[in-house]
Amino acid sequence: MTSAPLVIAPVVAPRVSVILVLYGRADLAMRAISALIAGTPACFELIIVDNASPDDSLAVVRDGVVGATIIANTLNVGFGAAVSVGALRARGEFLLLLNSDVFVESGWLPPLLAALDCKAYLAGVSPMLLNLDGTAQEAGSMICSLGGTLAIVDDTRWAYDFPRVVPYVSAACLLVRRSVFTQLGGFDTAYGRGYYEDVDWALELEQQGLLLAHIPGSSARHVRGASSNLESALRHASRNRDVFVDRWEQRLARLPHLGEGSVASQRRGRDELTADRILIIDDRVPHIDRGSGDPRMAQIATTLARDWPSARVTFLAENLDNCEQYAPHLLSQGVEVVPTPLRDAYGWLQDRFGHFSAVIISRPDNVALAREMIERTQPQAVVVIDVEALYSHRTGLRAALLSASDPVAAAAARALRDAQRAAEHASWKWANVVLCVSEEEAAEVRAVVPQTRVVVVQLIAEGPGVVVPCEHRQGALFFGGFMAGEDSPNADGVRHLVDELMPLIWASQPELTLTVAGWNPPPSVVQRASERVAVVGAIDHPVRVMSAHRVVLVPERFGAGIKTKLAEAMACGTPFVTSSVGAQGLH
């Protein structure tokens, strides 16, 4: 601390009104105000409500803070009432309820404002509360059937990296809409000096269809209990818990019992107030720039999380390779990513026994790997099988293509086709719902399981904000991932295009260049690079590359499902030329 006063910059129209209730411990309050000034853009006003501090704290704050509104109560009216008194003087769109022992960290406010600005269903948001040593203290809290509360802490990877609705958040550092706070009459004064008024308010919000959320990227350090006497705090908390239980007895009866010794029940309890809990299983955390159905799967997961905020969407990948690059996309959109690969996930699922409302599984190999685990640990879940593509069709087309040139390979492909078909049919018969990408594939599924609900969920491609004019484009483009290596449809397509088709075009247009883009091109593709063929490998923004070319070429000879690249080409205003196989599902 320094002797120089702390100055609150004057703001004509503050977005945020910070309400700090003071009751002794001016040393902590001054530190909290100092952190607030240092870590917050000049968009706030500070309202300090002194609750008849028993020491010289009011004088210290008056002498040490310039530019704050200071309200001196002649008696201790309690935390809830003091916050309401401060709210009456507030001018901001939002109220920040800030304990005098909470020290916000740099950059804490913008993520919270962004969440409230874009999500009307949120009434309030909270940063990650840390202990002074930087360890996790609370990322929202749970409420149990007996009226107790339990802070959400989790030391697993990505546990705090996705925004999520939580049962309630502590009023120690809580940013709320002033309109909602005043419409509900503020905190209930029935809780006297303090404790449980924020829990009570959370259930009031739930009745109004409003939610509270933990927001990543925002943090504050909390000296828990430093602003109150421990013995007095325990006494008030016990008394107020009884008030809370009497008031919300029927609602609490529907909540879980969170025994402190049960880690599994606590993990389930974190999401207990969510309307539905959806587990999505796929090959990998979606590589959104690589095709192979990944952009569509990312859309499914993020759309569910965005448009269904009262649900919890969790993604479980069979393979976590490259997850550091691609997990942030899901996390930022509110999708939880499991830090355990599917093959090792039985214990993870067992800890959440009976937890998920629905399980969406994509691709037959993942169904085979996950089925027993799901049947054992989530027997109540609706099973949704996502037919990202009919792999047996793709393999059958490849077998026909090989039959003239390589009979042995063709026979192996036919055997694989039969095994894939059997696996596909078994998964559809297990499912309660089947998702398909096109009406053509849905018709085949319905023929096998006529009593099962089959739904078409097509890809939606988003183009650039501005379509590039034709005169600013040049060359032809082949784009696609090569995850299946030399045997992939894309590798075969490049060989067919460069060896057999481009020579016909170059005969009349020798100046035309071809760019081959896509992740992990195999040797046969790399070897076809020349003065007129550029093999560029992975690209960060496929849509931008498509927008720079005159035409997209997709000479696919075997495959299944809708080709993401063709939907993206249309979104870019880029013409494409493809085969009948490539055009499947596009009508």
Side-chain angles (χ1 to χ4, degrees), residues 63 125 144 146 224 278 294 374 382 442 447 481 531 550 552 577 579:
D63 291 342
V125 292
C144 79
L146 300 179
R224 176 174 280 167
I278 304 162
D294 286 30
I374 297 302
V382 172
E531 290 184 0
R550 299 290 295 271
V552 172
V577 182
S579 62

Side-chain angles (χ1 to χ4, degrees), residues 182-459:
T182 55
Q183 285 166 12
L184 293 182
F187 287 147
D188 198 313
T189 56
Y191 293 98
R193 295 285 180 89
Y195 298 100
Y196 274 89
E197 61 279 294
D198 50 359
V199 192
D200 180 275
W201 195 66
L203 293 188
E204 282 195 65
L205 290 174
E206 184 192 31
Q207 285 187 332
Q208 303 298 318
L210 296 170
L211 303 169
L212 297 167
H214 157 76
I215 304 299
S218 175
S219 60
R221 305 208 179 203
H222 182 205
V223 189
R224 176 174 280 167
S227 59
S228 61
N229 174 273
L230 178 60
E231 183 179 346
S232 174
L234 291 174
R235 184 170 63 252
H236 286 298
S238 178
R239 178 257 180 194
N240 286 351
R241 176 172 173 164
D242 293 339
V243 174
F244 175 73
V245 170
D246 287 344
R247 174 173 293 181
W248 296 99
E249 181 178 5
Q250 292 185 350
R251 180 67 186 93
L252 293 175
R254 304 198 302 273
L255 295 180
H257 175 70
L258 299 175
E260 290 196 14
S262 173
V263 174
S265 68
Q266 291 175 21
R267 287 171 175 166
R268 293 194 298 269
R270 184 201 69 176
D271 299 333
E272 195 65 35
L273 294 187
T274 55
D276 277 289
R277 296 170 292 280
I278 304 162
L279 178 65
I280 301 175
I281 299 174
D282 200 1
D283 276 5
R284 54 197 162 266
V285 177
H287 293 25
I288 54 177
D289 57 352
R290 301 189 185 183
S292 298
D294 286 30
R296 175 178 172 275
M297 178 51 74
Q299 274 189 351
I300 290 173
T302 58
T303 301
L304 282 172
R306 182 192 67 223
D307 294 347
W308 202 349
S310 60
R312 170 77 66 247
V313 180
T314 301
F315 198 95
L316 174 59
E318 195 281 325
N319 188 312
L320 291 177
D321 289 350
N322 304 304
C323 61
E324 292 299 335
Q325 180 178 353
Y326 296 105
H329 174 72
L330 293 188
L331 294 166
S332 67
Q333 302 299 309
V335 178
E336 177 183 22
V337 179
V338 180
T340 302
L342 174 60
R343 59 186 173 276
D344 300 326
Y346 182 79
W348 186 91
L349 287 164
Q350 185 65 32
D351 280 347
R352 293 154 182 81
F353 183 89
H355 185 63
F356 291 100
S357 311
V359 179
I360 302 173
I361 312 177
S362 188
R363 309 178 206 260
D365 289 349
N366 296 323
V367 175
L369 194 58
R371 180 167 180 170
E372 183 177 355
M373 289 190 279
I374 297 302
E375 289 178 337
R376 285 175 175 267
T377 66
Q378 312 298 323
Q380 77 300 324
V382 172
V383 174
V384 181
I385 297 301
D386 175 43
V387 182
E388 181 268 330
L390 287 175
Y391 292 100
S392 59
H393 272 199
R394 183 172 70 190
T395 306
L397 289 169
R398 181 170 180 267
L401 193 65
L402 290 170
S403 59
S405 60
D406 193 339
V408 174
R414 285 192 293 271
L416 177 59
R417 174 203 61 194
D418 295 342
Q420 288 174 333
R421 182 176 295 155
E424 288 167 345
H425 289 191
S427 70
W428 305 341
K429 292 174 182 177
W430 178 46
N432 302 109
V433 180
V434 179
L435 306 183
C436 295
V437 297
S438 69
E439 289 293 347
E440 292 91 328
E441 295 192 351
E444 178 162 336
V445 175
R446 292 187 183 107
V448 176
V449 286
Q451 303 304 316
T452 299
R453 186 180 181 192
V454 180
V455 181
V456 175
V457 179
Q458 290 188 345
L459 176 82

Side-chain angles (χ1 to χ4, degrees), residues 137-183:
Q137 184 181 105
E138 175 188 339
S141 292
M142 298 176 272
I143 308 171
C144 79
S145 59
L146 300 179
T149 62
L150 188 66
I152 297 173
V153 290
D154 190 341
D155 60 359
T156 57
R157 190 181 190 186
W158 303 313
Y160 307 119
D161 293 342
F162 64 101
R164 60 180 178 273
V165 169
V166 292
Y168 97 96
V169 290
S170 167
C173 188
L174 173 61
L175 186 68
V176 303
R177 300 183 192 277
R178 180 161 67 100
S179 58
V180 174
F181 191 79
T182 55
Q183 285 166 12

